[in-house]
Amino acid sequence: MNGKVYLVGAGPGDPELLTVKALRLLRTADVVLFDDLVAPEILELIPPSAQVQNVGKRCGTKTMRQEEINFLLVTLAASGLRVVRLKSGDPLIFGRAGEEIEALRQSNIEYEIVPGVTSALGAAAAAGVPLTHRQISSTLVLTAGHRASDNRDEEWSRLASTKSTLVVYMPGHDYAEMAARLTAAGFAEETPCAIISQATTPQQQIHIAAISNLHSSPRLAAPTLLVVGEVVKFADPAADLPEPIFRVADNAFAAQEEQLV
């Protein structure tokens, strides 16, 4: 009898941003295959009886190739196990869920997608930045920094002309190059940007600069996101001093579990 695979979003870091469903699946999983950016506090919620394996990558170093992950998902579920594929943020946004879904479909393995708070939304909320604004920006664009060089100048120009909010996942630290591309695409040099590091965690840091000064930005700890647009002007100046959220997580989850029983 086949098991089932759950593609679960772990959110941007704060364990209290897990959905109740994600928590329940973690507590009842036979196997959890997690990405490297999943917070350690979330992994501590997995019971000792479950098999837990890191299959992610960080700084370009892969723990396991995607084809191997696909094979592992299919094999484990085919043996009758409940498998949680735990991804940081949301599984459908830069999480390679599409490739895993395709492999599961081809092998007739049952699966379910459990959405999570994607990093852009978590980071913006933590920084107090509205990603859209009725008078300033009605378009939100998410892109990956390591693929930014693949984007044609015409595409970036359209973003500048529509005054969109641009969120760059994994922007790296070459902010001089990023600033040059944004300027070449037509973004005004005074356009504000926010670099948000380790969003929603006690280690969160935020650096705000105009595109003209982006090149001198500090190298904040990964993971980081870059938010570009006039909405950054609304950032909370105290947002880089979060409360120690993890100390209340256990009590919050205990209350959730009581409601589930």
Side-chain angles (χ1 to χ4, degrees), residues 3-255:
K4 185 174 180 178
V5 173
Y6 297 88
L7 305 175
V8 178
D14 180 359
E16 289 190 311
L17 292 179
L18 274 175
T19 64
V20 175
K21 187 168 189 175
L23 174 64
R24 175 175 59 80
L25 292 172
L26 286 177
R27 291 284 172 83
T28 58
D30 297 313
V31 182
V32 178
L33 306 179
F34 69 95
D35 281 344
D36 210 41
L37 290 178
V38 174
E41 292 79 4
I42 293 177
L43 298 178
E44 291 175 2
L45 301 170
I46 304 170
S49 58
Q51 175 186 339
V52 181
Q53 184 174 350
N54 183 349
V55 297
K57 70 173 183 176
R58 192 163 192 177
C59 299
T61 302
K62 297 181 180 180
T63 303
M64 184 178 294
R65 294 187 300 111
Q66 186 60 52
E67 294 78 10
E68 295 175 301
I69 297 174
N70 296 346
F71 176 79
L72 194 56
L73 289 172
V74 170
T75 301
L76 290 170
S79 65
L81 299 176
R82 290 167 54 91
V83 182
V84 169
R85 176 70 174 99
L86 189 62
K87 300 170 178 286
S88 62
D90 181 271
L92 299 180
I93 298 181
F94 302 121
R96 300 191 180 185
E99 298 171 54
E100 295 171 358
I101 290 171
E102 184 178 5
L104 294 170
R105 286 176 176 171
Q106 290 176 351
S107 299
N108 295 317
I109 298 297
E110 185 179 3
Y111 69 91
E112 183 175 343
I113 301 169
V114 181
V117 177
T118 188
S119 299
L121 303 186
V129 174
L131 292 177
T132 61
H133 191 285
R134 193 166 54 162
Q135 279 82 38
I136 295 175
S137 175
S138 60
T139 304
L140 172 63
V141 178
L142 308 180
T143 188
H146 66 280
R147 297 194 61 186
S149 60
D150 296 336
N151 296 333
R152 297 188 178 185
D153 290 340
E154 297 82 16
E155 296 172 345
W156 286 67
S157 297
R158 283 197 293 269
L159 300 181
S161 63
T162 58
K163 296 185 178 180
S164 303
T165 300
L166 175 65
V167 179
V168 183
Y169 285 65
M170 301 163 283
H173 293 107
D174 193 349
Y175 294 119
E177 180 185 358
M178 184 67 68
R181 285 194 57 81
L182 290 169
T183 302
F187 284 90
E189 290 189 348
E190 64 271 18
T191 303
C193 304
I195 303 170
I196 306 172
S197 164
Q198 298 179 306
T200 77
T201 76
Q203 292 76 40
Q204 173 182 299
Q205 290 182 285
I206 301 170
H207 175 75
I208 296 177
I211 289 177
S212 59
N213 296 320
L214 194 59
H215 66 279
S216 59
S217 298
R219 294 174 62 93
L220 301 182
T224 61
L225 287 98
L226 174 65
V227 182
V228 181
E230 295 298 321
V231 293
V232 174
K233 293 179 179 178
F234 292 91
D236 183 355
D240 59 344
L241 299 173
E243 296 180 1
I245 50 180
F246 292 137
R247 68 185 180 189
V248 300
D250 291 340
N251 291 335
F253 281 128

